[in-house]
Amino acid sequence: YHPFDPYGDSSDADIWARICRGEWDFNDEAWDSISDEAKDLIQHMLTRNPNNRYGTQDILQHRWISQYAQLPATPLRSLNNMASTGRSLRNVLSAQNRNVEMDMDQV
């Protein structure tokens, strides 16, 4: 599930426009098993207004992070060590930066 392309049929330009507008949601069964605390953290990290977006200290002090006394033994997957399948958000953003100059007034 791609939070900016819920049906998997959007163009890169459409995905970029949704990112710029801050349009995304948790309305997919992929999010059903994710805790409300984790969703709250994600929502604060994806806030469009940089003045309201969580910074490093806010993230580290968030209840979903601070509830753990230590890091999990299993490392988290990242874009750097995952096998890339399909269009990742990283690829979309890279393509946008290289190929498309979008006028933010049109978003």
Side-chain angles (χ1 to χ4, degrees), residues 26-77:
F26 295 122
N27 296 330
D28 187 88
E29 64 184 31
W31 292 100
D32 289 349
S33 63
I34 307 300
S35 71
D36 288 339
E37 291 85 7
K39 291 177 192 175
D40 180 73
L41 176 59
I42 293 166
Q43 187 170 11
H44 281 93
M45 291 168 51
L46 292 179
T47 297
R48 189 170 173 230
N49 183 334
N51 296 322
N52 296 331
R53 189 178 310 131
Y54 271 12
T56 306
Q57 286 303 313
D58 298 312
I59 294 168
L60 292 174
Q61 294 171 358
H62 188 274
R63 64 184 174 271
W64 188 76
I65 298 291
S66 64
Q67 69 181 321
Y68 298 103
Q70 58 184 337
L71 293 175
T74 306
L76 298 175
R77 297 184 324 170

